[in-house]
């Protein structure tokens, strides 16, 4: 296959030393969209290498917020054979099977009215099934046990501070070495939708730290920049696990950032309607939560803006691939309409997104526009080839010897 795209034109001098980052946005049920994208990428890696290939084998760090944090844990938590609990192809089935139970839909005529009344006294959903499901799947796996490094943002409502559960930070702050189940429950505790999550964690010296967590989207609905920050901090600390940056090696960062889709422009709200809203209107309007929707969209887009600027400053903007669909309409743009029909529509949206052109945001209009770099599917095929080559270089005895020398 011939490529006209300039994506992933990696300098030979950084081959074998790329910093490979996968980032997955928050978005509730819409997590099924990146699930479809990841299944395609992993299938291409399996075609190149073996049926046992898993995404955790190819990325140095996987970051995820909210539903993206759950996907991150699914891809990196070890099973009894010390391999990922889930293959990427399993994510779609997980969402199709479990989302209707996590977000049960009211079928009777007074269903919407009941949700409105309930919203005055608590979140839409009690989270009981979600919590038990996560604990059942992830068991007692701790943060330090993931098969590749992970970064999962949350927000502590008591201290009013972001808490970043990171494989890098846990080395310096043992109290962060919590169970993946508690971390996932915390990062997915979307205000007004699911209850905040309290837990305590004891470090190796017996000191107890408490956490009062809500959705990581409050801190970073798109965790790409948080992941880059964590890796950069690790480099500045002189970590022996990451080759230090050298002159002319700025192009070592390689990032795949996956959105969960957003509403089509002018689809949901306008100033004329919003001008009449009070507190209740901003928190509950037409079955959705405008304040939550607007905040998460702004958070994700601003991270995309800053990440794009970061890569432009490094003269390696084509090492950054953002795949996002900003044309969702109706129930598909919700985070919790978990009907069979809507979930299947989201699967189709993910499949269509593969065929769409690689796009970048026009910062004047806020709309994703084609960047003349082929389709997302073609870009992922090229990325799979690059990831496969990178893994083979790292697995070579000569590379392992140089890595050992660096750490001495």
């Amino acid at each position: 296959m011939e490529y006209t795209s300039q994506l992933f034109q990696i300098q030979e001098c950084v081959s074998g030393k790329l910093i490979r980052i996968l980032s997955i946005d928050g978005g509730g049920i819409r997590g099924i969209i990146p699930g479809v994208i990841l299944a395609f990428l992993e299938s291409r890696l399996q075609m190149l290498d073996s049926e046992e290939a898993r995404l955790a084998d190819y990325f140095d760090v996987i970051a995820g917020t909210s539903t993206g944090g759950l996907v991150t844990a699914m891809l990196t938590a070890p099973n009894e054979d010390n391999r990922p609990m889930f293959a990427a192809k399993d994510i779609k089935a997980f969402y199709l099977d479990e989302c209707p139970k996590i977000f049960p839909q009211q079928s009777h005529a007074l269903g919407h009215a009941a949700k409105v009344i309930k919203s005055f006294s608590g979140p839409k959903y009690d989270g009981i099934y979600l919590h038990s499901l996560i604990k059942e799947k992830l068991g007692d796996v701790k943060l330090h046990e993931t098969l590749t490094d992970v970064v999962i943002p949350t927000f502590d409502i008591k201290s009013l501070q972001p808490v970043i559960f990171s494989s890098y930070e846990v080395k310096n702050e043992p109290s962060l070495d919590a169970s993946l189940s508690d971390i996932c429950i915390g990062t997915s505790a979307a205000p007004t939708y699911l209850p905040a999550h309290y837990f305590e964690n004891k470090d190796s010296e017996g000191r107890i730290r408490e956490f009062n967590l809500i959705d990581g989207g409050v801190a970073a609905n798109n965790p790409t920049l948080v992941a880059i920050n964590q890796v950069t901090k690790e480099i500045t600390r002189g970590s022996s696990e990451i080759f230090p940056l050298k002159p002319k090696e700025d192009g070592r960062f390689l990032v795949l950032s996956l959105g969960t889709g957003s509403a089509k422009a002018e689809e949901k709200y306008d100033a004329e309607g919003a001008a009449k809203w009070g507190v209740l209107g901003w928190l509950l309007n037409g079955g959705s939560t405008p304040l939550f929707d607007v905040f998460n969209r702004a958070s994700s887009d601003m991270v995309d803006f800053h990440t794009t600027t970061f890569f432009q400053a490094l003269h390696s903007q084509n090492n950054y691939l953002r795949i996002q669909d900003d044309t969702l309409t109706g129930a598909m743009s919700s985070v919790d309409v978990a009907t069979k029909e809507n979930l299947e529509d989201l699967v189709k949206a993910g499949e269509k997104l593969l065929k769409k052109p690689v796009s970048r945001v026009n910062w004047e209009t806020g709309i994703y526009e084609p960047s003349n770099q082929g389709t997302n599917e073609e870009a992922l095929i090229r990325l799979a080839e690059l990831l496969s080559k990178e893994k083979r270089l790292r697995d070579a005895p000569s590379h392992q010897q140089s890595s050992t020398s660096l750490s001495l």
Side-chain angles (χ1 to χ4, degrees):
M1 180 177 294
E2 294 183 1
Y3 298 93
T4 57
S5 168
Q6 293 302 306
L7 281 170
F8 313 131
Q9 301 298 312
I10 304 299
Q11 295 173 296
E12 196 62 35
C13 64
V14 300
S15 294
K17 298 185 290 184
L18 290 174
I19 301 169
R20 307 158 299 172
I21 298 173
L22 168 61
S23 173
I24 310 162
D25 286 14
I29 61 170
R30 301 197 311 268
I32 203 168
I33 292 177
V36 171
I37 305 297
L38 292 172
F40 176 80
L41 176 60
E42 190 170 87
S43 71
R44 298 300 303 191
L45 291 167
Q46 290 170 346
M47 290 173 62
L48 292 167
D49 296 334
S50 79
E51 285 296 319
E52 301 305 313
R54 296 291 183 267
L55 292 171
D57 303 326
Y58 295 87
F59 286 96
D60 298 298
V61 55
I62 301 179
T65 296
S66 192
T67 195
L70 178 56
V71 172
T72 295
M74 293 168 69
L75 296 173
T76 61
N79 61 18
E80 60 277 6
D81 298 318
N82 205 37
R83 295 295 292 152
M85 286 186 180
F86 289 79
K89 65 180 177 60
D90 299 327
I91 297 172
K92 180 177 77 172
F94 177 88
Y95 275 77
L96 289 172
D97 294 342
E98 305 296 353
C99 282
K101 304 169 193 173
I102 297 170
F103 302 110
Q105 304 298 293
Q106 299 287 346
S107 57
H108 54 79
L110 298 178
H112 178 64
K115 282 187 178 181
V116 173
I117 294 171
K118 191 176 188 312
S119 69
F120 286 100
S121 59
K124 275 188 179 183
Y125 309 98
D126 58 27
I128 293 174
Y129 182 79
L130 173 64
H131 297 182
S132 63
L133 176 66
I134 291 176
K135 288 182 180 294
E136 174 194 343
K137 297 296 184 184
L138 297 179
D140 298 322
V141 175
K142 293 275 195 174
L143 176 61
H144 80 273
E145 296 178 283
T146 57
L147 296 172
T148 192
D149 291 332
V150 301
V151 174
I152 303 176
T154 65
F155 191 87
D156 194 299
I157 194 67
K158 186 173 183 179
S159 63
L160 293 180
Q161 289 288 325
V163 178
I164 309 300
F165 288 94
S166 160
S167 302
Y168 304 115
E169 293 296 338
V170 78
K171 301 170 188 175
N172 304 298
E173 184 49 69
S175 65
L176 291 174
D177 193 23
S179 66
L180 278 181
S181 60
D182 279 322
I183 295 170
C184 287
I185 293 170
T187 193
S188 61
T192 77
Y193 289 94
L194 290 162
H197 184 51
Y198 174 85
F199 68 93
E200 295 178 348
N201 191 48
K202 184 183 296 186
D203 66 19
S204 56
E205 297 182 5
R207 293 172 296 195
I208 296 175
R209 178 174 175 178
E210 67 172 28
F211 296 92
N212 298 267
L213 303 182
I214 61 173
D215 195 315
V218 174
N221 197 53
N222 174 348
T224 303
L225 213 55
V226 179
I228 292 173
N229 169 270
Q230 289 292 301
V231 173
T232 304
K233 286 172 65 177
E234 192 71 0
I235 292 172
T236 58
R237 287 173 181 153
S239 169
S240 62
E241 298 179 8
I242 305 176
F243 281 94
L245 288 174
K246 295 180 180 180
K248 299 182 180 181
E249 289 189 353
D250 292 340
R252 283 179 52 201
F253 281 95
L254 178 69
V255 175
L256 172 61
S257 174
L258 301 180
T260 56
S262 61
K264 185 178 181 180
E266 302 178 3
E267 171 67 19
K268 277 196 169 185
Y269 316 116
D270 57 44
E272 183 178 0
K276 303 171 186 176
W277 296 342
V279 173
L280 182 59
W282 278 100
L283 292 179
L284 189 66
N285 194 290
S288 61
T289 307
L291 190 61
F292 189 74
D293 290 346
V294 170
F295 187 87
N296 277 350
R297 174 68 180 268
S299 170
S300 292
D301 284 356
M302 286 307 296
V303 169
D304 188 23
F305 172 79
H306 290 302
T307 306
T308 300
T309 303
F310 170 82
F311 277 91
Q312 287 175 341
L314 295 179
H315 306 288
S316 57
Q317 54 265 40
N318 288 318
N319 288 18
Y320 171 56
L321 175 61
R322 172 73 171 168
I323 299 180
Q324 172 70 312
D325 186 348
D326 62 349
T327 64
L328 300 184
T329 59
M332 284 200 296
S333 65
S334 75
V335 299
D336 67 328
V337 180
T339 63
K340 182 175 185 292
E341 179 184 11
N342 193 45
L343 291 169
E344 289 176 347
D345 285 343
L346 288 169
V347 171
K348 293 175 184 175
E351 292 169 346
K352 290 179 181 177
L353 187 55
L354 286 169
K355 305 297 184 182
K356 289 183 177 181
V358 173
S359 300
R360 300 190 188 280
V361 172
N362 180 323
W363 294 110
E364 293 184 2
T365 65
I367 297 174
Y368 278 80
E369 298 177 348
S371 58
N372 194 32
Q373 294 176 307
T375 66
N376 289 318
E377 187 175 76
E378 290 169 340
L380 290 168
I381 291 172
R382 171 71 181 118
L383 177 60
E385 292 173 350
L386 180 58
L387 292 173
S388 176
K389 175 184 176 183
E390 183 75 8
K391 185 176 185 299
R392 288 196 300 271
L393 287 170
R394 293 195 186 194
D395 290 345
S398 59
H399 182 276
Q400 293 176 357
Q401 183 178 0
S402 64
S403 298
T404 303
S405 299
L406 179 68
S407 63
L408 296 177

